[in-house]
Amino acid sequence: MKIFSYHLKRPAIYISVGLFIFSLIRPAFVFDGGRGLESDKSFIYLLIGGIGLFGGGTAEFLVWLANPFYFIALFLFAKNKKVSILFILIASLLAISFSSWEEILISESGSNGKIVSFSSGYYLWVTSILVLCFGIIYYFGKHRLKID
């Protein structure tokens, strides 16, 4: 059984990263910004999400932090570090929490847009994080490695 769980590590990583990359070319969500319904590809939010803090988007920045936590967890998991569980759990909670939002900051002037629906990019992004989350938990649950 150890061999089986070991062999699930790479697929979990590859599937997760593949879903993450695919999510970037898909629309993230649809919002009403006052000029009709709008939607952007997810990679736009990946690129500008980190600077959202400077435009007044504190909550948006916190959700965006799911990305660096995801990549840290990915790196640590590849290095067999059990602390990757903590990072991927935080990333999962942040990513899923966004589904409860009703509005999002759409400009530096502070105007908000109503989120009409979530699109495939968001769902693929969350799925990529959850695949890695389940992979990490399963892997370390089977191996019961000590925390490094």
Side-chain angles (χ1 to χ4, degrees):
M1 197 60 167
K2 277 187 174 183
I3 292 172
F4 182 69
S5 64
Y6 172 75
H7 289 292
L8 287 180
K9 181 179 179 181
R10 282 190 180 166
I13 291 172
Y14 294 153
I15 291 169
S16 175
V17 170
L19 288 168
F20 187 92
I21 291 169
F22 187 55
S23 77
L24 296 176
I25 60 170
R26 307 296 307 150
F29 53 88
V30 177
F31 63 95
D32 185 355
R35 297 174 289 173
L37 298 181
E38 300 178 49
S39 181
D40 291 316
K41 301 273 191 252
S42 298
F43 76 89
I44 297 293
Y45 298 108
L46 177 66
L47 295 176
I48 65 170
I51 61 171
L53 182 63
F54 302 112
T58 306
E60 287 81 359
F61 175 75
L62 290 175
V63 170
W64 177 84
L65 283 175
N67 294 311
F69 281 113
Y70 167 78
F71 287 115
I72 292 168
L74 190 64
F75 175 77
L76 293 172
F77 183 42
K79 299 286 187 185
N80 285 330
K81 304 291 185 186
K82 195 170 184 179
V83 71
S84 62
I85 294 171
L86 175 65
F87 286 95
I88 199 62
L89 286 175
I90 293 170
S92 298
L93 291 173
L94 290 172
I96 291 169
S97 73
F98 186 61
S99 67
S100 67
W101 286 33
E102 295 179 6
E103 291 186 333
I104 189 163
L105 182 70
I106 59 171
S107 72
E108 290 181 14
S109 68
S111 60
N112 288 328
K114 179 176 175 26
I115 297 175
V116 176
S117 66
F118 293 94
S119 301
S120 59
Y122 170 73
Y123 293 115
L124 288 165
W125 176 62
V126 171
T127 302
S128 74
I129 292 171
L130 292 177
V131 164
L132 188 63
C133 183
F134 291 127
I136 290 172
I137 290 170
Y138 181 80
Y139 179 81
F140 287 115
K142 287 291 185 186
H143 289 263
R144 298 193 193 340
L145 297 175
K146 295 178 183 174
I147 295 177
D148 296 326

